[in-house]
Amino acid sequence: MDSRKNEEGRMKKEEHPEGKSTRRSFLEGLSIAAAASSASLATGCSLNSLPESKEEFGLKWEEYFKKNYRLMTQKEKDDTVERLIKLAKLNDNQDLTISNQAPREKVLYGYAFNITRCEGFMDCVEACVKENNLDRNAKTQYIRVFEMEPGKLDPSTGDGKYFHEVPVDDKFYMGVQCFHCENAPCIKACPVKATWREPDGIVVVDYDWCIGCRYCMAACPYWGRRFNWGKPFVPKEEITRQQHYLGNRQRMKGAMEKCTFCIQRTRQGKLPACVEACPTGSRVFGNLLDPDSEIRFVLKNKKVFRLKEDLGTDPKFWYFID
Amino acid sequence: MKNPPEKGFASFISDCSKWALTGSTSYKIYLFALLVIIGTGVWAYSHQFREGLIVTGMSNIVSWGLYISNFTFFVGVAAAAVMLILPAYVFKDEDFHEVVIIGECVAVGALVMCLLFITVDMGGPQRLWHIVPGLGLFNWPSSILTWDVLVLNGYLALNTLVPLYILYCNYHNRKPVGWKYRPFIFLSIFWAVSIHMVTAFLYEGLPARPFWNNPLLGPRFLASAFAAGPAVIMMVIIAIKETTSYPIDPIIFKKLKRIIVIAAVINLLMLFSEVFKEFYTFTHHSLSAQYLFFGLDGHDALVPWIWTAISLNILGTLLFAFDPTKGNTKYLMVAAISLFTGIWIEKGFGLIVPGFVPSPIGEVVDYVASKTEILITLGILATGILIVTMLTKPALHILSNFKMLNTD
């Protein structure tokens, strides 16, 4: 990773010099006035349901005016996580753990997909849906698996809707998901910096900061992003409770989301759910900066390729052939 | 001057509202009808606000629809005011001077529509403060969308303040002071081009979408805008001529017609060039065009629309080019409506939707706008028409009064 990218990804702690504090507080005052109506709409949409408790309203109010995650101090990050946990308890009587764990040092994640081995069972899809609390109403999937004709290597020629017993003779299978590009067009497109690349290479979305314009979705050449057109729904007993702020926590309607390499797992040293679930061992995940990692072995010893290299996006996701 | 106590800004506003709201019974019915359509739109939007964009016809594959299509088209209409401003102020064309204010009012109406279309398209409208520079985080200069926010709001300010100043002076029976507004006029000419180029860059800059990733997109936006925009302005001028006593010199129609024909012919030429490129050597990148013009994998929702659009486009151009009636307003109205509708379809969802089909991983899905989406769109269109009416009526009142006082 070159240093320029690194700097771009780094967060600015304090945007405004002290001299501007009066202007800032004035603007904040204005914003409170201007946003109060929409805030009450956003936080208290429950005009016809039971009146909220004062505590709940206070929490939602503070959540509404919080900053972009990248500009938060560690304390602010802890505060928002605490508020989200409290709100989940108040609203749905759920006990969640939401982490804001920072990237690990000297780590850059990479992913490789073995198109010789994959047999299209889609256990990865199922594990991903469950792990990442994906919307069951809209049947959101981060991973799509395509059944491919021999002689083709472009998933757009494959069948992404197959529904029959696998594997089929003379077919092979190719999974696609967010490729976590180093030079990601989605990041460039976002008008509010709600999506960015973390120092460990994971492209994340701040769901609370996203305004839902979907420009990133139009900019992505790999169809790696999913939008919450309605309010996402996950049955209470199926919710994965170990969550990360930038990962599998509850999304809201009108926000963008995407594969995060299971940030809530990988930052704790575990493998992404799709890698763990794969029965054929077609999925390889690891640290590109560690010369002894499996991913480095694959890159060194296998014939690898990436999709749409001509666009210069530099994905951190390779396909390989045994 | 005869009226010693200088009337202030408050009386200017109250007089203007009076002129805007008073009129014949049919005028009142017209206003009422607009308000009903707006009300329906607001009601539909409240439904969308509660449920989310799931009530629209959009999906993860076609993720922009009717709203963004209309936004794109009306940016062009707003930019087209420059086709009146440029001859009126740069070439000192006296005839255009009479109607330039109408062009500016149309631009303001179109810009308000653009901003509303963007707002209703947002998944999180309550989080829109995140895009306000200084309050939120403004991804400038990286994101073209932030450029668009700047140029659209700037153009709105220019097109509001300059006419406001001129009218305010005329209201007080003064001649506006040239150096106070002329620099802004020239700025607005440059700015008009920029709003449309920046909007084209929104799409042009996305290699992910080969259908849009085409350097001709920006120039073609301008050409189609300079045909469709003056067509809208012509419709408004005809409506004013038919319903009010404001004097409109027929020479205006002749001059507008000339602008429209030139722009429409250039637009058709560029369209032809695009179609040639897509179909002479049919590549993987031509699939969107195939979907648009002929359908793909059994999906052909846009095919009837685009052929209607192209027919209307050619018809409108021919009607303007060979006008046997020599400026009959009814004839011109038909020509303007035909050209306007043709470009509206072609540059609206004929441009936006195929950009998404097939998806980058090859999936083909038809997009059909939902009822809610259509009602909201109609509500915004009615808002635009209402704004143009509310601005044009008092403006023309002030201008004709001023002219009367100064010719006596």
Side-chain angles (χ1 to χ4, degrees):
Chain A
M1 201 163 56
D2 64 337
S3 60
R4 190 179 57 83
K5 291 273 153 50
N6 236 341
E7 252 167 45
E8 219 173 41
R10 200 168 294 147
M11 44 219 81
K12 272 193 279 176
K13 279 275 148 56
E14 188 51 71
E15 245 213 333
H16 299 272
E18 270 165 36
K20 284 192 177 170
S21 67
T22 48
R23 181 179 144 265
R24 166 130 199 152
S25 52
F26 168 71
L27 282 172
E28 255 166 15
L30 258 186
S31 88
I32 288 169
S37 52
S38 46
S40 55
L41 272 170
T43 57
C45 265
S46 49
L47 284 176
N48 39 10
S49 66
L50 288 169
E52 304 174 325
S53 69
K54 211 174 170 187
E55 185 191 6
E56 190 178 344
F57 185 78
L59 288 170
K60 283 187 173 173
W61 184 265
E62 280 184 63
E63 274 296 286
Y64 181 76
F65 288 107
K66 73 183 175 186
K67 290 187 224 166
N68 181 302
Y69 185 73
R70 280 203 286 179
L71 296 183
M72 287 184 196
T73 60
Q74 189 55 47
K75 173 154 189 322
E76 285 168 326
K77 286 180 186 173
D78 295 340
D79 289 346
T80 179
V81 158
E82 200 185 316
R83 284 195 298 266
L84 289 171
I85 293 173
K86 269 191 201 156
L87 278 170
K89 183 80 190 161
L90 279 170
N91 282 333
D92 303 321
N93 195 25
Q94 285 187 63
D95 296 299
L96 304 179
T97 347
I98 303 180
S99 144
N100 56 29
Q101 193 182 348
R104 291 144 70 92
E105 294 286 317
K106 297 199 183 90
V107 167
L108 176 63
Y109 293 119
Y111 205 118
F113 186 98
N114 188 334
I115 54 173
T116 319
R117 276 203 191 172
C118 177
E119 300 195 313
F121 296 128
M122 292 219 231
D123 290 12
C124 50
V125 175
E126 204 187 321
C128 170
V129 168
K130 193 154 184 344
E131 167 65 30
N132 289 300
N133 296 321
L134 298 189
D135 182 9
R136 308 295 203 271
N137 280 349
K139 299 195 171 60
T140 304
Q141 286 174 218
Y142 289 162
I143 304 173
R144 297 290 307 274
V145 181
F146 286 83
E147 190 172 72
M148 307 283 298
E149 298 287 338
K152 307 258 182 175
L153 272 182
D154 177 357
S156 69
T157 61
D159 174 11
K161 289 192 184 108
Y162 66 87
F163 192 75
H164 49 68
E165 200 172 309
V166 286
V168 175
D169 285 344
D170 288 334
K171 304 264 185 189
F172 71 98
Y173 298 86
M174 225 171 157
V176 294
Q177 59 203 72
C178 169
F179 292 156
H180 297 270
C181 306
E182 184 154 329
N183 183 17
C186 54
I187 298 176
K188 221 169 146 179
C190 179
V192 293
K193 298 191 188 179
T195 187
W196 67 91
R197 189 165 175 266
E198 288 272 287
D200 53 5
I202 303 179
V203 177
V204 293
V205 179
D206 182 343
Y207 312 120
D208 287 323
W209 194 260
C210 171
I211 57 173
C213 72
R214 312 188 294 294
Y215 193 28
C216 56
M217 205 169 199
C220 174
Y222 304 107
W223 202 66
R225 297 182 155 249
R226 308 289 182 270
F227 188 66
N228 288 289
W229 298 93
K231 190 177 183 329
F233 164 77
V234 183
K236 209 178 156 192
E237 61 283 1
E238 289 179 28
I239 291 174
T240 305
R241 295 176 200 285
Q242 288 283 339
Q243 302 181 350
H244 192 284
Y245 190 91
L246 300 172
N248 58 347
R249 75 178 163 106
Q250 174 75 62
R251 266 80 69 190
M252 54 298 290
K253 74 167 192 280
M256 194 58 73
E257 60 174 287
K258 60 186 282 302
C259 158
T260 63
F261 277 164
C262 285
I263 197 167
Q264 65 280 355
R265 297 169 58 93
T266 44
R267 284 206 176 158
Q268 291 179 359
K270 293 192 225 162
L271 287 172
C274 49
V275 178
E276 206 175 75
C278 179
T280 59
S282 314
R283 293 174 171 266
V284 175
F285 179 82
N287 181 5
L288 292 167
L289 303 182
D290 172 7
D292 301 323
S293 63
E294 195 186 348
I295 181 89
R296 284 284 291 269
F297 178 86
V298 168
L299 294 184
K300 195 173 166 206
N301 297 292
K302 305 283 181 182
K303 301 288 172 272
V304 301
F305 68 93
R306 297 187 289 193
L307 294 184
K308 300 190 182 176
E309 286 270 21
D310 51 328
L311 300 183
T313 46
D314 198 359
K316 291 288 165 275
F317 194 106
W318 290 265
Y319 292 92
F320 69 102
I321 301 157
D322 256 342
Chain B
M1 227 168 275
K2 287 283 150 65
N3 34 350
E6 172 90 326
K7 290 180 282 182
F9 193 69
S11 76
F12 170 72
I13 294 294
S14 74
D15 276 353
C16 281
S17 340
K18 201 177 71 200
W19 292 322
L21 295 172
T22 50
S24 61
T25 319
S26 49
Y27 179 70
K28 279 181 183 135
I29 292 171
Y30 159 77
L31 287 189
F32 181 73
L34 286 180
L35 286 175
V36 169
I37 301 172
I38 295 170
T40 322
V42 171
W43 170 78
Y45 183 68
S46 73
H47 174 56
Q48 183 190 298
F49 188 91
R50 263 180 282 117
E51 302 299 320
L53 289 166
I54 196 161
V55 299
T56 69
M58 293 184 274
S59 65
N60 273 336
I61 291 181
V62 182
S63 50
W64 281 338
L66 202 55
Y67 301 146
I68 297 295
S69 305
N70 276 293
F71 155 76
T72 312
F73 176 75
F74 281 103
V75 170
V77 174
V82 76
M83 287 323 240
L84 301 186
I85 296 173
L86 192 81
Y89 287 97
V90 180
F91 304 129
K92 310 244 173 349
D93 186 311
E94 284 304 312
D95 304 316
F96 273 116
H97 246 291
E98 302 288 308
V99 291
V100 71
I101 189 80
I102 299 171
E104 284 161 332
C105 292
V106 170
V108 171
L111 280 165
V112 172
M113 281 195 259
C114 290
L115 296 173
L116 286 175
F117 276 122
I118 288 285
T119 311
V120 298
D121 188 63
M122 290 294 140
Q126 74 281 10
R127 295 191 286 269
L128 264 181
W129 65 273
H130 295 171
I131 204 173
V132 180
L135 280 181
L137 253 184
F138 202 56
N139 192 9
W140 188 87
S142 164
S143 171
I144 297 297
L145 209 54
T146 57
W147 284 83
D148 222 21
V149 169
L150 292 179
V151 291
L152 287 178
N153 284 296
Y155 193 63
L156 180 59
L158 282 173
N159 269 290
T160 315
L161 295 177
V162 171
L164 191 68
Y165 169 72
I166 294 175
L167 289 175
Y168 190 62
C169 289
N170 287 351
Y171 173 75
H172 289 121
N173 202 16
R174 285 194 307 255
K175 255 191 132 54
V177 187
W179 63 267
K180 282 189 184 164
Y181 72 94
R182 280 187 172 274
F184 295 104
I185 294 271
F186 288 100
L187 186 61
S188 83
I189 291 169
F190 159 78
W191 212 288
V193 176
S194 85
I195 62 167
H196 219 27
M197 286 305 271
V198 169
T199 304
F201 287 172
L202 273 182
Y203 311 106
E204 203 176 310
L206 301 180
R209 310 284 172 179
F211 187 68
W212 297 335
N213 189 216
N214 157 13
L216 195 55
L217 203 67
R220 194 156 159 239
F221 266 32
L222 285 179
S224 62
F226 292 159
V232 175
I233 293 170
M234 185 180 265
M235 282 150 69
V236 175
I237 294 178
I238 292 173
I240 288 168
K241 189 181 159 72
E242 299 293 316
T243 56
T244 70
S245 55
Y246 189 74
I248 298 216
D249 194 332
I251 192 89
I252 288 296
F253 293 121
K254 214 176 146 202
K255 289 183 171 175
L256 269 179
K257 212 163 69 184
R258 200 176 302 152
I259 292 173
I260 292 173
V261 169
I262 294 170
V265 168
I266 296 175
N267 179 41
L268 283 177
L269 198 70
M270 291 183 181
L271 173 69
F272 178 69
S273 169
E274 277 187 349
V275 170
F276 169 79
K277 177 247 166 192
E278 300 283 15
F279 294 110
Y280 179 68
T281 42
F282 190 84
T283 71
H284 206 81
H285 289 173
S286 311
L287 288 171
S288 295
Q290 182 181 351
Y291 170 71
L292 174 63
F293 288 101
F294 305 109
L296 190 64
D297 297 351
H299 293 270
D300 53 6
L302 291 183
V303 176
W305 287 101
I306 193 66
W307 290 108
T308 312
I310 289 182
S311 314
L312 287 172
N313 225 326
I314 295 173
L315 176 72
T317 311
L318 291 177
L319 287 179
F320 275 121
F322 307 100
D323 174 8
T325 67
K326 302 275 174 262
N328 175 298
T329 49
K330 284 204 181 73
Y331 177 90
L332 288 178
M333 196 68 169
V334 172
I337 289 174
S338 139
L339 190 64
F340 166 84
T341 318
I343 295 177
W344 187 28
I345 298 172
E346 189 222 315
K347 208 174 125 192
F349 46 92
L351 174 83
I352 302 305
V353 177
F356 291 105
V357 184
S359 80
I361 53 171
E363 286 177 296
V364 182
V365 164
D366 277 328
Y367 160 79
V368 180
S370 73
K371 279 199 190 92
T372 312
E373 228 171 332
I374 293 172
L375 287 179
I376 294 174
T377 303
L378 290 176
I380 294 176
L381 294 178
T383 311
I385 297 173
L386 184 70
I387 287 172
V388 175
T389 313
M390 294 283 110
L391 294 178
T392 317
K393 202 157 175 282
L396 295 183
H397 191 100
I398 292 174
L399 285 185
S400 43
N401 264 1
F402 178 70
K403 248 195 319 199
M404 217 162 63
L405 284 171
N406 285 277
T407 41
D408 281 350

